Amino acid sequence: MDSQQRTDAPPTPNLIFEMLQAHQRTAALKAAIDLDLFRAIGDRPADVASIAQACSASPRGIRILCDFLVINGVLGKEGESYRHTPTSATFLDPRSPASLASIAQFLTNSAMREQYQNLAEIVRTGRTAMPGDGTVEPENPIWVQFAETMAPMMAPLAAPLGAVVLEGHAGPMRVLDIAAGHGLFGIEIAKQNPQAHVTGLDWAPVLRVAIENARKAGVQDRYDMLPGSAFEVNFGGPYDAVLLTNFLHHFDTATCVGLLKKVRGALKPGGRAATLEFVPNEDRVSPPMPAAFAMTMLTSTPAGDAYTLRELSAMYTEAGFSGIAAHPIPMSPHTIVMGNA
Amino acid sequence: MDSQQRTDAPPTPNLIFEMLQAHQRTAALKAAIDLDLFRAIGDRPADVASIAQACSASPRGIRILCDFLVINGVLGKEGESYRHTPTSATFLDPRSPASLASIAQFLTNSAMREQYQNLAEIVRTGRTAMPGDGTVEPENPIWVQFAETMAPMMAPLAAPLGAVVLEGHAGPMRVLDIAAGHGLFGIEIAKQNPQAHVTGLDWAPVLRVAIENARKAGVQDRYDMLPGSAFEVNFGGPYDAVLLTNFLHHFDTATCVGLLKKVRGALKPGGRAATLEFVPNEDRVSPPMPAAFAMTMLTSTPAGDAYTLRELSAMYTEAGFSGIAAHPIPMSPHTIVMGNA
């Protein structure tokens, strides 16, 4: 996915063929997860017959699926046996604490996938073809699924985000977690600072996932819920910090600026707002993952985007923030952008 | 897609995320072709406004789609302008004689794509979930679409195949082209040898595409049509050569052997049968394109496969052929396998 490399490469029809078949890769990984294949592979190399039995599936289907997964780097093959790769053992085996298997449910959910069946029409109109405002429609149940399934992808980001937001800050503080979802980011603040009090804001059905996670983390006594729309509820406060994770990208610039003004109004002087975003470079085509995220916003929202640092900084500035700084999270496509009230 | 490289790489969650989003790559290329975007890019770098106007599309949609295509190597970007890459200029611009744009219609047709929406179930049962025998159901109209749209992908293979089959053979000869489709392979034989007489065998509606191509090539006087099923019609003959292009992979081994026996019965002594196939290495996971083709056979047929050279040789041998040899076509994922009657 190195665009420069590909741009300068000699012409090849294989790239066209490969792109037109790329949907098979998504389907294959989803099928393997649905069949619990990465558990069946287990600790030792396994042959087609034993995997087929463990997955209650046909030998022909398992053999072709496993070979396809090997071609795509998420299984290994030795002779007639299949084994985990480091990536599949860590991120796909359901017994791994870092397993990401559940994110397949959200990323391939039918409401999101269906949008791609007529992408040309979405490009023509310039907005999601979902009913209403798509994924940002009030109370869209998709966010319950997000909260329930995407936590494993977000969990590794929580500790870096907590460290950046707290910057060693101890003592009593109040934190508002807007679009809390699974709640992991606010919960992490509460874990890193035993005197932090966190308020999670999201749709009520989503907050049930967050409070359950707060309970599991043992911080439920310092976790309050503020159900509703970030654009409509009274934030309360004042807060020492406000988290805006995976949120601004759903909206157009004016909406983001309006929300940031409201956030600033709820912060103590010198308090900080921290957004977690996919932030492409100013060329908008690198790095691949943050840049490609704009496609998800095109298909699922009326006007969202993967904003560049310049654009995010301009929003913060217009909303009255200063000291705006970007903190890319190592080994991840995400960046924290912070501003001071 | 180098499986060894990926297998030994350190674990990365990005590969999981990328696979689960890979379907976007197929949709993006299909949308760009449907919008005639690669014509709009034209000979000079073009900005969002001019492309949007040419495609009757929204600036937001065009900007995000074009950036996505740049990330994937099928457009270039300089400042705010987009330009062709060598690959898109050669294989996606509809004005290029080598344009492959039409293959998107076949490769992403809804009957094929729908199979991937529940791939787990196909893996369980071990066969296509299409009605009847899937793409090998008699008179399946999908083969008219194949004949009409996939010719540009097959055209570059015709000259090498013709050379291998003829091996300099001049003078009168009769050739049977089984599953003729677009007819390009048999037509190429007629072009390379002005005394060759070709019989194209396929479903009648498909042969209408082949005879039209024979007319365009000026060889229609030496092109006969034999409509029907390769398993049921009398081949006639005897022939000097029989072509079996993109055909055996749809069927199980016993069916292939039966057909090869029938082919051998229609050949003159010493006549040759030539198959054009995706032939993976014996490990079945390399090279990526031929090996991954087994997935298409899993989802679209009851028992087809991407057969290895050992398997194809065994079929030829069981059917009574000798002198079996493989001829990989340079710069292509295809291999010609020939046997002598």
Side-chain angles (χ1 to χ4, degrees), chain B residues 40-41 44-57 59 62 81-82:
Chain B
I41 298 289
R44 294 175 302 187
D47 63 11
V48 166
S50 66
I51 301 168
Q53 186 172 28
C55 295
S56 301
I62 288 294
S81 291
Y82 302 92

Side-chain angles (χ1 to χ4, degrees), chain A residues 278-284 306-313:
Chain A
F278 290 100
V279 183
N281 295 328
E282 295 303 326
D283 65 12
R284 288 193 183 279
Y307 291 110
T308 66
L309 181 56
R310 190 165 62 184
E311 290 169 329
L312 289 167
S313 297

